[in-house]
Amino acid sequence: MIHTGLQHGIIWAPQPNALPRDSPTLADKMRESGYSTHAVGKWHLGFYKEEYLPNNRGFDTFYGYLTGSEDYYTKSRCSGRNMCGKDLRDDFKPIEPNPNEYSTEMYSKRVIDLVNNYNSTKPMFMYLAFQAVHAPLEVPSRYTDKYAHIKNHNRRTYAGMVAAMDEAIGNITTAFQANGMWDDTVMVFSTDNGGQILAGGNNWPLRGWKASLWEGGLHGVGFVHGKALQRKGTVSHELLHVTDWYPTLVGLAGGSLNGTKPLDGFNQWKTISEGAKSPREILLHNIDPLFKPAGDKREGSPFDNRVRAALRWRDWKIITGNPGNSTWVPVPTSEEDNFNIDDDTSKQKKNIWLFNIAKDPVERTDLSDVYPEMVNKMLFKLQQLNKTAVPCVYPPMDPRSNPEHLGGWWGPWET
């Protein structure tokens, strides 16, 4: 994120902000490689100008929503109390949502329609970003009925949302098989962050949750399926990062990385397919210069350790600044479970933590006092990376974005 200017928070719906246009997207590169390109579901990469909409970022078709979250049925969202609007588009055009249609099923049907009616000689690149299992917690009761044994309401609803998504993926898989496309398909399934424990998620036994720098917020899981894999049914413990998907998938498609800015990612296909050692040794989680500094600066530190940052190098991980809530939250087993999630990390002067993640994936043992030389080495690496960062872009909310000025819809407001 330090090379896009999006190091701080997210792109809020009323913000005039977006993924910069200074480098082609993955969809641009897949199209360049001869693929038809389709995006279904969540966008959330900025939309304040039409040039930032999915159809102008490499996708031939788009069916979904532009903002970060919304109601699963009404397809509407509010930003604060006074900015509310609908958010559902078919390519550039807003479309009236069916308030009785659950979004997980709606998006899977669109993908199935694309597959069933596909008559192009081009190979297909399909990007499906389900709204599930993001808040708000909503799902038809037929999916939660079988989870009556889960006594905690949020967890029961969350389980139903996962079941709906699982069924949707199964239906999509069946469509690919029925159309003779499955044997030539590589499917990647991945999360984008840790679970939000305040909205049904849980990361136990990992520490922290979504929006924190602990493993519970950062450690994602996923799988890859396809006949192109040389080794199947295996688990990889190698170091991979979300930025690696770009060169990996472009490489798998036989494409070129010419014309891109210098990439942070590596082609990990041999790691995924053959079990080769990952070419990645370093993984920058983030350096956020706008987050409120925490604690005191370490004397002689090559990096300002008051700044919120986290870095992984081989087995080691360092966290600086305010990492976010640092508690370990067990899975709730009843409606009355009230875990103590109060956390005084942000009030402490401590602002450096060091862990050996290979030996201590749950971050129980802080080694910063035991290995001061490693702390300095990691801080130096942070500083070297920080020198390459572009300025953080986080503009104020723009009242012109209010859907009441745009016919009741979230959409571009600048020309």
Side-chain angles (χ1 to χ4, degrees):
M1 290 188 288
I2 67 167
H3 297 143
T4 63
L6 300 175
Q7 300 96 308
H8 183 70
I10 63 172
I11 300 173
W12 295 99
Q15 275 185 310
N17 201 11
L19 179 71
R21 293 184 58 89
D22 56 359
S23 194
T25 65
L26 173 58
D28 286 323
K29 281 296 178 181
M30 296 301 282
R31 178 191 278 173
E32 182 185 283
S33 303
Y35 282 66
S36 68
T37 55
H38 309 274
V40 177
K42 179 176 179 176
W43 178 241
H44 204 194
L45 290 173
F47 59 88
Y48 74 103
K49 292 182 179 181
E50 194 168 280
E51 66 191 74
Y52 293 111
L53 296 183
N55 295 85
N56 288 325
R57 304 307 306 268
F59 286 103
D60 297 329
T61 69
F62 170 67
Y63 182 79
Y65 66 110
L66 301 174
T67 59
S69 63
E70 63 180 11
D71 188 280
Y72 281 73
Y73 293 97
T74 66
K75 320 302 185 293
S76 63
R77 72 155 291 149
C78 293
S79 183
R81 294 182 178 179
N82 301 317
M83 285 192 180
C84 296
K86 292 175 285 189
D87 185 10
L88 181 63
R89 288 179 183 253
D90 194 344
D91 292 329
F92 293 102
K93 183 181 178 181
I95 54 173
E96 195 65 38
N98 177 353
N100 297 314
E101 191 169 26
Y102 185 60
S103 79
T104 300
E105 296 170 336
M106 179 181 74
Y107 293 135
S108 65
K109 288 176 183 176
R110 172 50 66 103
V111 173
I112 291 169
D113 285 345
L114 284 167
V115 172
N116 286 342
N117 296 297
Y118 197 69
N119 57 13
S120 173
T121 57
K122 294 181 179 180
M124 174 192 288
F125 172 64
M126 177 74 69
Y127 171 61
L128 170 59
F130 278 113
Q131 181 178 355
V133 290
H134 199 288
L137 296 177
E138 297 175 323
V139 70
S141 59
R142 64 181 178 276
Y143 292 109
T144 56
D145 289 344
K146 59 184 175 182
Y147 295 111
H149 62 283
I150 300 178
K151 302 306 179 185
N152 182 273
H153 177 267
N154 281 359
R155 290 293 289 169
R156 185 166 60 253
T157 306
Y158 193 92
M161 294 168 74
V162 173
M165 180 177 64
D166 184 62
E167 179 183 287
I169 295 170
N171 292 339
I172 291 168
T173 301
T174 299
F176 272 89
Q177 292 169 335
N179 286 277
M181 300 166 68
W182 186 243
D183 287 350
D184 296 321
T185 294
V186 172
M187 183 178 79
V188 176
F189 178 89
S190 178
T191 184
D192 58 349
N193 46 247
Q196 173 52 271
I197 63 102
L198 302 177
N202 191 267
N203 308 295
W204 180 264
L206 299 180
R207 188 176 187 175
W209 60 83
K210 179 180 177 178
S212 78
L213 296 179
W214 306 104
E215 290 297 285
L218 302 172
H219 191 122
V221 295
F223 66 85
V224 179
H225 180 280
K227 289 198 171 183
L229 292 168
Q230 293 189 26
R231 296 171 75 245
K232 301 175 176 63
T234 61
V235 177
S236 175
H237 297 281
E238 293 295 317
L239 202 57
L240 286 86
H241 186 251
V242 63
T243 56
D244 296 334
W245 289 123
Y246 187 121
T248 299
L249 295 178
V250 172
L252 193 59
S256 166
L257 297 176
N258 292 338
T260 67
K261 293 174 63 178
L263 296 178
D264 295 320
F266 294 88
N267 187 332
Q268 296 273 15
W269 184 246
K270 286 190 175 181
T271 304
I272 296 168
S273 176
E274 303 172 23
K277 182 175 174 58
S278 171
R280 176 179 291 282
E281 279 198 330
I282 199 164
L283 191 159
L284 178 65
H285 291 299
N286 200 19
I287 300 173
D288 187 343
L290 297 188
F291 207 93
K292 184 179 179 180
D296 299 323
K297 186 174 182 181
R298 177 188 175 110
E299 185 176 351
S301 174
F303 176 77
D304 188 347
N305 51 283
R306 298 171 298 180
V307 173
R308 189 180 211 238
L311 173 73
R312 177 82 180 267
W313 177 66
R314 297 180 180 173
D315 292 342
W316 294 96
K317 177 183 175 183
I318 191 168
I319 304 174
T320 64
N322 179 356
N325 196 292
S326 65
T327 49
W328 294 266
V329 181
V331 179
T333 56
S334 73
E335 196 61 62
E336 290 72 37
D337 276 348
N338 289 308
F339 297 111
N340 180 18
I341 59 173
D342 291 333
D343 181 59
D344 61 357
T345 302
S346 61
K347 301 174 185 176
Q348 298 175 359
K349 287 191 174 182
K350 180 174 176 60
N351 56 17
I352 295 178
W353 292 263
L354 180 72
F355 300 97
N356 185 312
I357 296 297
K359 296 179 179 178
D360 180 26
V362 297
E363 297 170 303
R364 292 277 184 180
T365 306
D366 174 23
L367 300 172
S368 59
D369 291 335
V370 180
Y371 298 104
E373 300 86 358
M374 181 57 68
V375 169
N376 284 332
K377 185 171 187 173
M378 298 291 279
L379 289 171
F380 178 78
K381 290 181 180 295
L382 270 173
Q383 181 58 19
Q384 292 301 108
L385 287 165
N386 197 37
K387 288 178 181 179
T388 71
V390 301
C392 188
V393 180
Y394 194 75
M397 309 300 163
D398 189 338
R400 296 177 298 167
S401 67
N402 196 326
E404 70 178 15
H405 304 314
L406 303 166
W409 297 89
W410 289 103
W413 67 90
E414 281 194 17
T415 57

mmCIF file with all atom_site columns, all heavy atoms in Angstrom, residues 138-149:
data_model
loop_
_atom_site.group_PDB
_atom_site.id
_atom_site.type_symbol
_atom_site.label_atom_id
_atom_site.label_alt_id
_atom_site.label_comp_id
_atom_site.label_asym_id
_atom_site.label_entity_id
_atom_site.label_seq_id
_atom_site.pdbx_PDB_ins_code
_atom_site.Cartn_x
_atom_site.Cartn_y
_atom_site.Cartn_z
_atom_site.occupancy
_atom_site.B_iso_or_equiv
_atom_site.pdbx_formal_charge
_atom_site.auth_seq_id
_atom_site.auth_comp_id
_atom_site.auth_asym_id
_atom_site.auth_atom_id
_atom_site.pdbx_PDB_model_num
ATOM 1   N N   . GLU A 1 138 ? -26.411 -10.676 7.733  1.00 0.00 ? 138 GLU A N   1
ATOM 2   C CA  . GLU A 1 138 ? -27.723 -10.942 7.144  1.00 0.00 ? 138 GLU A CA  1
ATOM 3   C C   . GLU A 1 138 ? -27.646 -12.193 6.282  1.00 0.00 ? 138 GLU A C   1
ATOM 4   O O   . GLU A 1 138 ? -26.697 -12.370 5.509  1.00 0.00 ? 138 GLU A O   1
ATOM 5   C CB  . GLU A 1 138 ? -28.162 -9.762  6.268  1.00 0.00 ? 138 GLU A CB  1
ATOM 6   C CG  . GLU A 1 138 ? -28.356 -8.455  7.024  1.00 0.00 ? 138 GLU A CG  1
ATOM 7   C CD  . GLU A 1 138 ? -28.661 -7.295  6.094  1.00 0.00 ? 138 GLU A CD  1
ATOM 8   O OE1 . GLU A 1 138 ? -28.094 -7.246  4.979  1.00 0.00 ? 138 GLU A OE1 1
ATOM 9   O OE2 . GLU A 1 138 ? -29.469 -6.429  6.486  1.00 0.00 ? 138 GLU A OE2 1
ATOM 10  N N   . VAL A 1 139 ? -28.665 -13.047 6.400  1.00 0.00 ? 139 VAL A N   1
ATOM 11  C CA  . VAL A 1 139 ? -28.720 -14.256 5.584  1.00 0.00 ? 139 VAL A CA  1
ATOM 12  C C   . VAL A 1 139 ? -30.127 -14.848 5.683  1.00 0.00 ? 139 VAL A C   1
ATOM 13  O O   . VAL A 1 139 ? -30.788 -14.716 6.721  1.00 0.00 ? 139 VAL A O   1
ATOM 14  C CB  . VAL A 1 139 ? -27.661 -15.289 6.053  1.00 0.00 ? 139 VAL A CB  1
ATOM 15  C CG1 . VAL A 1 139 ? -28.014 -15.891 7.406  1.00 0.00 ? 139 VAL A CG1 1
ATOM 16  C CG2 . VAL A 1 139 ? -27.438 -16.372 5.009  1.00 0.00 ? 139 VAL A CG2 1
ATOM 17  N N   . PRO A 1 140 ? -30.644 -15.460 4.615  1.00 0.00 ? 140 PRO A N   1
ATOM 18  C CA  . PRO A 1 140 ? -31.946 -16.128 4.714  1.00 0.00 ? 140 PRO A CA  1
ATOM 19  C C   . PRO A 1 140 ? -31.931 -17.204 5.799  1.00 0.00 ? 140 PRO A C   1
ATOM 20  O O   . PRO A 1 140 ? -30.927 -17.894 6.004  1.00 0.00 ? 140 PRO A O   1
ATOM 21  C CB  . PRO A 1 140 ? -32.130 -16.749 3.320  1.00 0.00 ? 140 PRO A CB  1
ATOM 22  C CG  . PRO A 1 140 ? -31.311 -15.900 2.413  1.00 0.00 ? 140 PRO A CG  1
ATOM 23  C CD  . PRO A 1 140 ? -30.115 -15.499 3.233  1.00 0.00 ? 140 PRO A CD  1
ATOM 24  N N   . SER A 1 141 ? -33.063 -17.370 6.469  1.00 0.00 ? 141 SER A N   1
ATOM 25  C CA  . SER A 1 141 ? -33.136 -18.280 7.620  1.00 0.00 ? 141 SER A CA  1
ATOM 26  C C   . SER A 1 141 ? -32.854 -19.724 7.241  1.00 0.00 ? 141 SER A C   1
ATOM 27  O O   . SER A 1 141 ? -32.414 -20.519 8.079  1.00 0.00 ? 141 SER A O   1
ATOM 28  C CB  . SER A 1 141 ? -34.510 -18.178 8.279  1.00 0.00 ? 141 SER A CB  1
ATOM 29  O OG  . SER A 1 141 ? -35.539 -18.505 7.360  1.00 0.00 ? 141 SER A OG  1
ATOM 30  N N   . ARG A 1 142 ? -33.096 -20.100 5.977  1.00 0.00 ? 142 ARG A N   1
ATOM 31  C CA  . ARG A 1 142 ? -32.848 -21.498 5.581  1.00 0.00 ? 142 ARG A CA  1
ATOM 32  C C   . ARG A 1 142 ? -31.379 -21.877 5.733  1.00 0.00 ? 142 ARG A C   1
ATOM 33  O O   . ARG A 1 142 ? -31.057 -23.068 5.824  1.00 0.00 ? 142 ARG A O   1
ATOM 34  C CB  . ARG A 1 142 ? -33.317 -21.740 4.151  1.00 0.00 ? 142 ARG A CB  1
ATOM 35  C CG  . ARG A 1 142 ? -32.582 -20.961 3.079  1.00 0.00 ? 142 ARG A CG  1
ATOM 36  C CD  . ARG A 1 142 ? -33.157 -21.277 1.696  1.00 0.00 ? 142 ARG A CD  1
ATOM 37  N NE  . ARG A 1 142 ? -32.513 -20.518 0.624  1.00 0.00 ? 142 ARG A NE  1
ATOM 38  C CZ  . ARG A 1 142 ? -32.838 -19.283 0.278  1.00 0.00 ? 142 ARG A CZ  1
ATOM 39  N NH1 . ARG A 1 142 ? -33.809 -18.657 0.930  1.00 0.00 ? 142 ARG A NH1 1
ATOM 40  N NH2 . ARG A 1 142 ? -32.217 -18.665 -0.708 1.00 0.00 ? 142 ARG A NH2 1
ATOM 41  N N   . TYR A 1 143 ? -30.510 -20.875 5.756  1.00 0.00 ? 143 TYR A N   1
ATOM 42  C CA  . TYR A 1 143 ? -29.086 -21.165 5.932  1.00 0.00 ? 143 TYR A CA  1
ATOM 43  C C   . TYR A 1 143 ? -28.679 -21.240 7.400  1.00 0.00 ? 143 TYR A C   1
ATOM 44  O O   . TYR A 1 143 ? -27.649 -21.832 7.733  1.00 0.00 ? 143 TYR A O   1
ATOM 45  C CB  . TYR A 1 143 ? -28.232 -20.119 5.221  1.00 0.00 ? 143 TYR A CB  1
ATOM 46  C CG  . TYR A 1 143 ? -28.334 -20.176 3.719  1.00 0.00 ? 143 TYR A CG  1
ATOM 47  C CD1 . TYR A 1 143 ? -28.996 -19.173 3.014  1.00 0.00 ? 143 TYR A CD1 1
ATOM 48  C CD2 . TYR A 1 143 ? -27.783 -21.225 2.998  1.00 0.00 ? 143 TYR A CD2 1
ATOM 49  C CE1 . TYR A 1 143 ? -29.103 -19.215 1.625  1.00 0.00 ? 143 TYR A CE1 1
ATOM 50  C CE2 . TYR A 1 143 ? -27.888 -21.285 1.611  1.00 0.00 ? 143 TYR A CE2 1
ATOM 51  C CZ  . TYR A 1 143 ? -28.546 -20.275 0.934  1.00 0.00 ? 143 TYR A CZ  1
ATOM 52  O OH  . TYR A 1 143 ? -28.653 -20.323 -0.430 1.00 0.00 ? 143 TYR A OH  1
ATOM 53  N N   . THR A 1 144 ? -29.443 -20.613 8.284  1.00 0.00 ? 144 THR A N   1
ATOM 54  C CA  . THR A 1 144 ? -29.096 -20.644 9.708  1.00 0.00 ? 144 THR A CA  1
ATOM 55  C C   . THR A 1 144 ? -29.829 -21.749 10.452 1.00 0.00 ? 144 THR A C   1
ATOM 56  O O   . THR A 1 144 ? -29.418 -22.129 11.554 1.00 0.00 ? 144 THR A O   1
ATOM 57  C CB  . THR A 1 144 ? -29.413 -19.291 10.381 1.00 0.00 ? 144 THR A CB  1
ATOM 58  O OG1 . THR A 1 144 ? -30.796 -18.962 10.161 1.00 0.00 ? 144 THR A OG1 1
ATOM 59  C CG2 . THR A 1 144 ? -28.544 -18.183 9.819  1.00 0.00 ? 144 THR A CG2 1
ATOM 60  N N   . ASP A 1 145 ? -30.899 -22.270 9.869  1.00 0.00 ? 145 ASP A N   1
ATOM 61  C CA  . ASP A 1 145 ? -31.701 -23.282 10.571 1.00 0.00 ? 145 ASP A CA  1
ATOM 62  C C   . ASP A 1 145 ? -30.853 -24.476 10.999 1.00 0.00 ? 145 ASP A C   1
ATOM 63  O O   . ASP A 1 145 ? -31.046 -25.027 12.095 1.00 0.00 ? 145 ASP A O   1
ATOM 64  C CB  . ASP A 1 145 ? -32.854 -23.764 9.676  1.00 0.00 ? 145 ASP A CB  1
ATOM 65  C CG  . ASP A 1 145 ? -33.935 -22.703 9.496  1.00 0.00 ? 145 ASP A CG  1
ATOM 66  O OD1 . ASP A 1 145 ? -33.948 -21.734 10.279 1.00 0.00 ? 145 ASP A OD1 1
ATOM 67  O OD2 . ASP A 1 145 ? -34.752 -22.844 8.559  1.00 0.00 ? 145 ASP A OD2 1
ATOM 68  N N   . LYS A 1 146 ? -29.907 -24.868 10.152 1.00 0.00 ? 146 LYS A N   1
ATOM 69  C CA  . LYS A 1 146 ? -29.112 -26.057 10.471 1.00 0.00 ? 146 LYS A CA  1
ATOM 70  C C   . LYS A 1 146 ? -28.028 -25.777 11.501 1.00 0.00 ? 146 LYS A C   1
ATOM 71  O O   . LYS A 1 146 ? -27.307 -26.686 11.907 1.00 0.00 ? 146 LYS A O   1
ATOM 72  C CB  . LYS A 1 146 ? -28.494 -26.632 9.201  1.00 0.00 ? 146 LYS A CB  1
ATOM 73  C CG  . LYS A 1 146 ? -27.592 -25.684 8.432  1.00 0.00 ? 146 LYS A CG  1
ATOM 74  C CD  . LYS A 1 146 ? -27.126 -26.333 7.139  1.00 0.00 ? 146 LYS A CD  1
ATOM 75  C CE  . LYS A 1 146 ? -26.326 -25.376 6.275  1.00 0.00 ? 146 LYS A CE  1
ATOM 76  N NZ  . LYS A 1 146 ? -25.915 -25.990 4.990  1.00 0.00 ? 146 LYS A NZ  1
ATOM 77  N N   . TYR A 1 147 ? -27.928 -24.515 11.912 1.00 0.00 ? 147 TYR A N   1
ATOM 78  C CA  . TYR A 1 147 ? -26.919 -24.160 12.911 1.00 0.00 ? 147 TYR A CA  1
ATOM 79  C C   . TYR A 1 147 ? -27.563 -23.759 14.236 1.00 0.00 ? 147 TYR A C   1
ATOM 80  O O   . TYR A 1 147 ? -27.013 -22.955 14.987 1.00 0.00 ? 147 TYR A O   1
ATOM 81  C CB  . TYR A 1 147 ? -26.042 -23.031 12.392 1.00 0.00 ? 147 TYR A CB  1
ATOM 82  C CG  . TYR A 1 147 ? -25.214 -23.425 11.181 1.00 0.00 ? 147 TYR A CG  1
ATOM 83  C CD1 . TYR A 1 147 ? -25.473 -22.879 9.931  1.00 0.00 ? 147 TYR A CD1 1
ATOM 84  C CD2 . TYR A 1 147 ? -24.205 -24.374 11.300 1.00 0.00 ? 147 TYR A CD2 1
ATOM 85  C CE1 . TYR A 1 147 ? -24.739 -23.253 8.821  1.00 0.00 ? 147 TYR A CE1 1
ATOM 86  C CE2 . TYR A 1 147 ? -23.464 -24.764 10.200 1.00 0.00 ? 147 TYR A CE2 1
ATOM 87  C CZ  . TYR A 1 147 ? -23.739 -24.199 8.956  1.00 0.00 ? 147 TYR A CZ  1
ATOM 88  O OH  . TYR A 1 147 ? -23.004 -24.586 7.864  1.00 0.00 ? 147 TYR A OH  1
ATOM 89  N N   . ALA A 1 148 ? -28.720 -24.324 14.526 1.00 0.00 ? 148 ALA A N   1
ATOM 90  C CA  . ALA A 1 148 ? -29.420 -24.002 15.773 1.00 0.00 ? 148 ALA A CA  1
ATOM 91  C C   . ALA A 1 148 ? -28.581 -24.354 16.998 1.00 0.00 ? 148 ALA A C   1
ATOM 92  O O   . ALA A 1 148 ? -28.780 -23.787 18.081 1.00 0.00 ? 148 ALA A O   1
ATOM 93  C CB  . ALA A 1 148 ? -30.756 -24.742 15.823 1.00 0.00 ? 148 ALA A CB  1
ATOM 94  N N   . HIS A 1 149 ? -27.645 -25.279 16.828 1.00 0.00 ? 149 HIS A N   1
ATOM 95  C CA  . HIS A 1 149 ? -26.797 -25.669 17.957 1.00 0.00 ? 149 HIS A CA  1
ATOM 96  C C   . HIS A 1 149 ? -25.794 -24.581 18.332 1.00 0.00 ? 149 HIS A C   1
ATOM 97  O O   . HIS A 1 149 ? -25.204 -24.634 19.415 1.00 0.00 ? 149 HIS A O   1
ATOM 98  C CB  . HIS A 1 149 ? -26.044 -26.955 17.629 1.00 0.00 ? 149 HIS A CB  1
ATOM 99  C CG  . HIS A 1 149 ? -25.109 -26.825 16.467 1.00 0.00 ? 149 HIS A CG  1
ATOM 100 N ND1 . HIS A 1 149 ? -25.550 -26.818 15.155 1.00 0.00 ? 149 HIS A ND1 1
ATOM 101 C CD2 . HIS A 1 149 ? -23.758 -26.663 16.407 1.00 0.00 ? 149 HIS A CD2 1
ATOM 102 C CE1 . HIS A 1 149 ? -24.514 -26.688 14.342 1.00 0.00 ? 149 HIS A CE1 1
ATOM 103 N NE2 . HIS A 1 149 ? -23.416 -26.589 15.072 1.00 0.00 ? 149 HIS A NE2 1
#
